[in-house]
Amino acid sequence: MHATYDFFSPNPEQLGATKIRLLSNNPEKVRQLERAGIRVVQRVPCQPRISKNSRAYLHAKKNKMGHLLNI
């Protein structure tokens, strides 16, 4: 199951934006924004600090949800 980002799609259009640079590791977010008519011209990766507490969580995000992480 993926989250939906419908709440976001009208906001850039209200500001007159038709293309954006997106700070995200989530390829599904890119797909949904583009489906809503907002062109993602660049996806800027976020590389979180990896600790013993966050390692399993980040692996799950990468392996189960397809997040683009370097771990």
Side-chain angles (χ1 to χ4, degrees):
M1 182 175 155
H2 290 286
T4 60
Y5 301 96
D6 296 339
F7 66 90
F8 181 74
S9 60
N11 296 328
E13 292 169 352
Q14 289 174 345
L15 298 172
T18 58
K19 56 187 178 179
I20 62 169
R21 291 176 62 219
L22 180 66
L23 181 63
S24 178
N25 294 324
N26 186 344
E28 181 61 23
K29 193 176 288 186
V30 174
R31 282 189 286 277
Q32 288 191 32
L33 286 167
E34 290 185 339
R35 241 182 269 132
I38 299 164
R39 195 170 120 224
V40 178
V41 295
Q42 182 182 15
R43 185 194 58 81
V44 181
C46 309
Q47 185 55 45
R49 189 182 66 187
I50 300 170
S51 69
K52 66 179 183 176
N53 295 325
S54 67
R55 185 171 306 279
Y57 171 73
L58 294 171
H59 274 285
K61 286 183 78 119
K62 181 176 182 171
N63 297 328
K64 293 182 179 184
M65 298 167 53
H67 283 228
L68 306 169
L69 294 166
N70 294 322
I71 52 174

